[in-house]
Every structure is written in C-alpha cells, then in structure tokens.
C-alpha cells in the first residue's frame, strides 16, 4: 500500500490536500474540545459569552460533575450503570449467538423453501386473526399461540416438495441483513404495544432488563452476523478439516479452534455492537420510563428539564461520550492492523 | 467445502428465533392494527376501517412535508458525506503527513451518541454563548437564526449529520482504497496520466461497487433520523424540520392514535423500500458493466 491516486500531484498540491484534511480534522475535533471545556466552567463562565482556554479565559471547576454524581439532575449514577449492564449483556449475547449463526452460514449448507417462508407468514397471520377475533383471546395471547404453530408448520412444510425456489445460505444472510433496513419506528411502536399487553398478563417487559436487552440483541444480530461471516470466511478451512479427520465434533471445533482464531474479529464486533446499544435512543425511549432508563434518554432530557444550563448539559453529554471515545481509540488501533479490512467486502 | 451435520441447527436457530420473534412479530401486529381505527386515549373499541387510515394519511399535508424533509436531509447529507469522505480517504491513503494522528480523531464522531452530539450542536449554534456566532460576527454576520428559522435549522441538522457520519464513509472508502491493485497505477504512471485522469479513469470506477454500498447504507440509515432532530429542534420551528420517524412518534406516543400510527409506519416502510429498490435498479447497469 503505497500512495495511490496522488502520485501525479505536485508538491504544492500535496500540501494543499494536507491542509484540507487538517481543516476537516479541526472541524471534527473542535466541538469535542468545546464540550470538554464547557463541562469544567462555572455558570457565569458560560453565560458571559464564549471562552476557550482553561486557566487563562476562565477558572475550571469540578462542580458540574459533583452535581451529576449527587443526582441533582436525575439519577446519573444508576442510569450509567443501567447503560453499562444492558450494553455489555446485549453485546455479549448478540455476539455469541450471532457468531454461531454466522459460522453455521459459512460452513454448513442450509436449504429453505420460499414456500415454507410464506407458509410461516400466512399461518402466523391467519392464526393470530383466528385466535383474536374468533376465540376472543387477547392480542399477545393470540400472537404467542400463533407463533409456535406457524413455526412448526413451516419446518414441516420445508420437508415437503413444495413448488417455488429453494433459498440457500446467501438468501438467509440477506434476510438477516435486511432486518436492518426496516425503519425501527415500525418495530419500536409495535413492540411497545406488545410489551405492554404482555405486561397486563403479569409478565413485566416494559422498563425491565429482560425486555430491553432482548430487543437490543435482536437489533444487533444483523450487524453481528454480517461482520462475523466475513471474519469466519477468512479463516483457512484446512485446520478444521484436519480436526474433522480426527472425528472432533463440530461444536468443539467451533469453540476450540474457530473462536480462538477469530478472537480479534469477535472483539471488534463486540465493541461495535456495544457502541450501537450504548448510543441507541428510539427503543429506549419507547421501552423504558424510569427504572431501566439509559443514558441517551437522560441526556436528551437535560435539554428541556431545567433550561439551558450548558455547564451541566456538557458534563452529562461528556459522561455519555467518554466511554465511546476510549473505544474509538481501541478500535482505531485494531483498524491499523488491517482487521476491519475484511468486513466490507 | 460445506458440511452437513445436524448440529448446524443448534448453531443457527437461536439467532433466527430471536430475530423472528422481535422483528416479524411486531410486523404482523402493526400490519393488522393499521387496518383498524384504534385509539387508546380516549379508549374506543377497535373498528375495522380497511384502508381508511392510509387514505387519511395520504391526504395529510403534514405527512408529505415530513417525507419531503426527511428526503431532503437524507440526500443532501449523504451527498456531502460521500464527497468529503471520499476526498479525505484519498488523502489519507496517499500518506498525507500526520495521517496516523488523524485516524483516531476522524473515527470518533460516528461512535458518539447522536443525542449527545445534538446537544453539543445546540451549544455550538447558540446565539449568545456559542462559538460559531462569535466567529461569524467577526465577518459581519451577527446573530444568525441557526435553530429558530426553518431553513437554517434544516441546514444545521444536515451539518450535524455530515459531521457525525462522514467518518463512516472515510472508514469504508479507506478500506476499499487499500484493496486496489497497484500495478494499474504504475501502468498509468508510465503513460503519464495526470492525477485527475488517474482518479476518473481508475480509482472512481474501481471504487464504484463499494461506493454504491456505502451510499446505500447511509441513505437507509439517514431516513431513520430521529434523535438528532428530536434534541436539536424537536421538529420545530413549527413542523419545519419534522422527519417521518418524529411524526410517527408524535402521533403514536403523544396522541396514542394506534391505527393511524401503524399505517404511517407502513407507508414509511413502503417509501424506504421504493427508494432502496429504485436506487439498486438505477445502479445495476453501472455495476454489472464492471464485472
């Protein structure tokens, strides 16, 4: 990888390009600098107009952070914990089962009849309407009953010689990835209604750890499967074949050989998923209200709650941002070693 | 080589089940709800209206304005992201001095919470204590109405989107640039092709597939924009910056008009699908020429 594309440029144009990149870099960094500086200002230091340099323009103070910790502007400490717990567990679960699915898609052959997929959708819809309208079951009850029936019927239908195309691994992957295309508002709103009706049956999902984590796992899976498939494809198959000759069962090949070999990829995927969950706003807005509120919701609320107290807002924003800044540092180190190269092909 | 072993079902089913349950499930739920007239407040029993909700929506100017606003934000922001991102990626790939330092800084914005970014943006654009207005007033532009005028607010949201997501384009394009074969450039060098010719003759066409993918991902993601607008303007002034997701949120979560909101989210889904399919259809001839 030498310098491509700019080889024909003169010395002067190279400098011009460097200045351009530097300018973009400044645009990127300045707002971040601004929020860090503002978080250490006293109220008069903020209201009096823009000031830039600590100790010269203004005297820094830790007061905004002390306020945050003492919970004057909402329970930051607990919300931070919530975000951490939900983020770590959702990312870990999604990476684990996503990696398993990705491995299966790379190494095993799957055949799904399009007809079976249609059977699933139509039966799920039909039984839902039947149970709901005719037998008078509540909507979640009807859904929960219709789902297994349709699923079993679809699995059986897959073995029958139905007409229509047969879908392979590529199509299953496409199905996974296409879940990302859906506007999340479609699901978020329906999920909110579904959760609250399930809650009326006695099982609390709204504003609960299980409900939020489950939803985040489902929404991280497409990315995980997509990223991990590329990592697994890059692993030479010879090692696995050698193990198969010795009759090592598949699950031990996966855990003992494949997982250690793709540790970097798993780690990068885990971090990307964690960032996604940590920053997510829409689902948290719908699915939590007090106990399991996450940081983005609390941070967004700072805006309206007590007016423009920018020093406190900056401190709050900083709390949400800093963990991801650290991760950016770690990720860029991995990027330098060419790790993410495979992920985009 | 593909193996065939019953254990494959153990590997794939957990993921399939979770995704099926959480994404297909609510789909059926809201599809059926969208044909009902169904409100929680005031509570009236659901009544089947078939396509009534859709008909009302299509006549609702607020829906069209939200669709227009979202489209405007998505296309302008993604266009700028692509242009700037490709440029910076080219420069980084050519080993501009100090390139290592840039990489961390350039990666940062895309990992930050959009909510926090929007709050920072509000500070930057603040008329009295914001640095941007102070900077511009040196050029005689005093107190620009950044977030209080519809057009300005839209421009500010686009600026924030560009700031946050250009790094993603840089990251992907850089990775793509590094896979380009070197000998083509050496040949071009022998032919005395200028840098400009090299870019349009070699780099751009060879990067077309990955460009298409990057723009597609960003376009789809931009259509879902919600948190940035929610915090920066709340859709205001008036409904000048209201996006589709925000509109659906207001209708559903504030008014609890369930049937209407479900219909709205399905129209949204249809709109995104149309845009996605059109995009791929428009691009296909260009992509296949290269194979």
């Amino acid at each position: 990888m030498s310098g491509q594309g700019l080889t024909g440029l003169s010395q002067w144009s190279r400098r011009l390009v460097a200045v351009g990149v530097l300018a973009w870099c400044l645009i990127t960094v300045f707002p971040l600098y601004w929020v860090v500086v503002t978080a250490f200002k006293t109220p008069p230091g903020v209201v009096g107009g823009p000031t830039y340099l600590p100790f010269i323009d203004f005297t820094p103070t830790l007061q905004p952070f002390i306020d945050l910790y003492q919970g004057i502007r909402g329970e930051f400490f607990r919300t931070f914990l919530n975000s951490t717990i939900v983020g770590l567990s959702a990312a870990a679960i999604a990476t684990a089962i996503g990696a398993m699915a990705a491995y299966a898609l790379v190494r095993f052959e799957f055949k799904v009849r399009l007809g079976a997929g249609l059977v699933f959708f139509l039966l799920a819809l039909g039984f839902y309407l039947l149970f709901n309208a005719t037998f008078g079951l509540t909507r979640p009850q009807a859904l929960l009953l219709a789902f297994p029936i349709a699923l079993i019927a679809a699995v059986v239908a897959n073995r029958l010689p139905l007409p229509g195309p047969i879908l392979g691994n590529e199509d299953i992957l496409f199905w996974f990835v296409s879940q990302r295309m859906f506007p999340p508002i479609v699901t978020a709103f329906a999920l909110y209604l579904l959760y609250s009706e399930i809650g009326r049956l006695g099982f609390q999902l709204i504003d609960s750890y299980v409900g939020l984590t489950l939803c985040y796992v489902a929404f991280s899976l497409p990315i995980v499967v997509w990223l991990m498939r590329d990592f697994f494809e890059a692993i030479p198959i010879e090692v696995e074949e050698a193990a198969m000759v010795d009759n090592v069962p598949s699950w031990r090949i996966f855990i003992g050989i494949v997982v250690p070999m793709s540790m970097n990829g798993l780690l990068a995927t885990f971090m990307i998923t964690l960032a996604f969950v940590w920053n997510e706003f829409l689902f948290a807005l719908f699915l939590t209200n007090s106990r399991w509120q996450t940081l983005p919701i609390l941070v967004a609320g700072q805006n309206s709650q007590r007016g423009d107290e920018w020093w406190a807002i900056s401190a709050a924003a900083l709390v949400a941002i800093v963990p991801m800044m650290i991760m950016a540092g770690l990720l860029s180190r991995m990027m330098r070693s060419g790790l993410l190269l495979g992920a985009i092909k | 080589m593909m193996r065939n072993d019953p254990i494959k079902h153990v590997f794939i089913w957990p993921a399939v089940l979770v995704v099926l349950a959480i994404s297909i499930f609510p789909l059926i739920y809201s599809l059926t709800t969208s044909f009902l007239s169904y409100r929680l407040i005031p509570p009236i029993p659901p009544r089947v209206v078939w396509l009534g909700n859709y008909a009302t929506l299509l006549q609702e100017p607020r829906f069209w304005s939200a669709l227009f606003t979202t489209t405007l934000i998505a296309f302008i922001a993604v266009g700028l992201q692509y242009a700037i991102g490709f440029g910076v990626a080219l420069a980084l790939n050519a080993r501009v001095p100090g390139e290592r330092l840039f990489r961390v800084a350039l990666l940062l914005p895309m990992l930050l919470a959009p909510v926090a970014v929007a709050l920072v943006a509000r500070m930057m654009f603040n008329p009295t204590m914001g640095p941007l207005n102070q900077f511009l007033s040196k050029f005689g532009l005093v107190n620009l109405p950044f977030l209080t005028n519809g057009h300005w607010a839209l421009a500010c949201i686009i600026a924030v989107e560009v700031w946050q997501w250009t790094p993603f384009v840089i990251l992907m394009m850089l990775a793509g640039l590094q896979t380009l074969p070197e000998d083509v450039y050496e040949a071009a060098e022998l032919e005395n092709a200028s840098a400009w010719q090299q870019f349009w003759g070699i780099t751009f066409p060879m990067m077309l597939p990955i460009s298409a993918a990057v723009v597609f991902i960003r376009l789809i993601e931009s259509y879902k924009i919600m948190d940035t607008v929610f915090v920066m303007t709340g859709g205001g002034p008036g409904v000048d910056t209201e996006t589709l997701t925000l509109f659906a949120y207001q209708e559903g979560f504030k008014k609890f008009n369930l049937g209407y909101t479900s219909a709205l989210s399905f129209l949204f889904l249809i709109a995104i699908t149309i845009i996605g399919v059109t995009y791929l259809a428009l691009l296909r001839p260009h992509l296949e020429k290269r194979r």
Side-chain angles (χ1 to χ4, degrees), chain B residues 13-260:
Chain B
W13 271 106
V16 172
L17 270 183
V18 173
V19 175
L20 259 186
I22 295 282
S23 53
I24 302 297
F25 235 26
L27 208 67
I28 291 177
Y29 193 89
S30 49
L31 181 67
T32 45
T33 312
S34 75
F35 298 121
L36 303 175
S37 163
Y38 187 19
R39 270 173 184 273
L40 286 185
I41 301 165
I44 37 173
R47 190 166 49 83
V48 181
V49 292
W50 298 114
L51 291 175
N53 286 321
Y54 292 92
T56 325
L57 256 174
L58 290 177
Q59 287 160 7
E60 160 87 57
R62 207 168 144 202
F63 168 73
W64 291 108
S65 112
L67 183 63
F68 177 71
T69 309
T70 318
T71 310
L72 203 67
I73 294 177
F75 275 85
I76 297 181
V78 172
L80 287 173
Q81 285 163 18
Y82 180 69
I84 300 172
F86 201 177
V88 174
L90 277 173
L92 287 183
N93 195 46
R95 305 273 142 171
V96 153
E99 159 259 359
R100 285 204 149 191
L101 186 85
F102 291 150
R103 286 209 177 182
V104 189
L106 289 174
L107 193 64
L108 253 179
M110 63 182 265
L111 285 172
L112 306 181
V115 175
V117 170
L119 277 178
V120 177
R122 276 184 65 117
M123 272 191 269
M124 301 295 297
F125 293 128
N126 190 287
T128 53
M129 48 70 64
L132 202 60
N133 252 323
Q134 195 200 34
F135 178 72
L136 287 177
S137 64
K138 291 196 176 126
F139 299 96
L141 301 161
V142 185
N143 276 345
L144 296 173
F146 281 120
L147 295 175
T148 41
N149 170 297
H151 296 293
W152 277 98
L154 213 54
C156 288
I157 289 169
I158 291 172
V160 172
E161 278 284 288
V162 171
W163 184 84
Q164 181 155 34
W165 294 111
T166 301
F168 175 78
V169 180
I170 298 177
L171 181 70
M172 300 294 260
M173 298 307 269
L174 195 57
L177 280 173
Q178 290 175 348
T179 61
L180 295 187
E182 217 153 295
D183 43 357
V184 194
Y185 289 95
E186 280 159 15
E189 201 71 354
L190 289 177
E191 299 276 321
N192 266 332
S194 70
W196 189 249
Q197 285 168 331
Q198 283 185 26
F199 174 75
W200 287 111
I202 308 172
T203 315
F204 189 74
M206 284 179 90
M207 291 289 285
L208 203 56
I210 183 163
S211 301
V214 169
V215 170
F216 186 69
I217 295 173
R218 281 311 316 148
L219 212 56
I220 298 290
E221 293 286 316
S222 299
Y223 261 86
K224 305 174 188 166
I225 182 175
M226 150 98 181
D227 13 12
T228 313
V229 183
F230 186 85
V231 172
M232 270 178 74
T233 63
V239 289
D240 282 355
T241 57
E242 191 173 63
T243 61
L244 277 174
T245 309
L246 199 58
F247 180 38
Y249 171 77
Q250 304 282 10
E251 283 297 322
F253 218 61
K254 293 275 157 68
K255 298 184 190 164
F256 282 99
N257 195 346
L258 303 192
Y260 194 63

Side-chain angles (χ1 to χ4, degrees), chain A residues 128-149:
Chain A
Y128 163 67
L129 289 174
L130 183 75
F131 288 140
N132 184 235
T134 319
F135 296 125
L137 296 180
T138 62
R139 292 143 67 79
Q141 277 173 338
L143 269 179
L144 290 176
L145 268 178
F147 186 66
I149 295 177

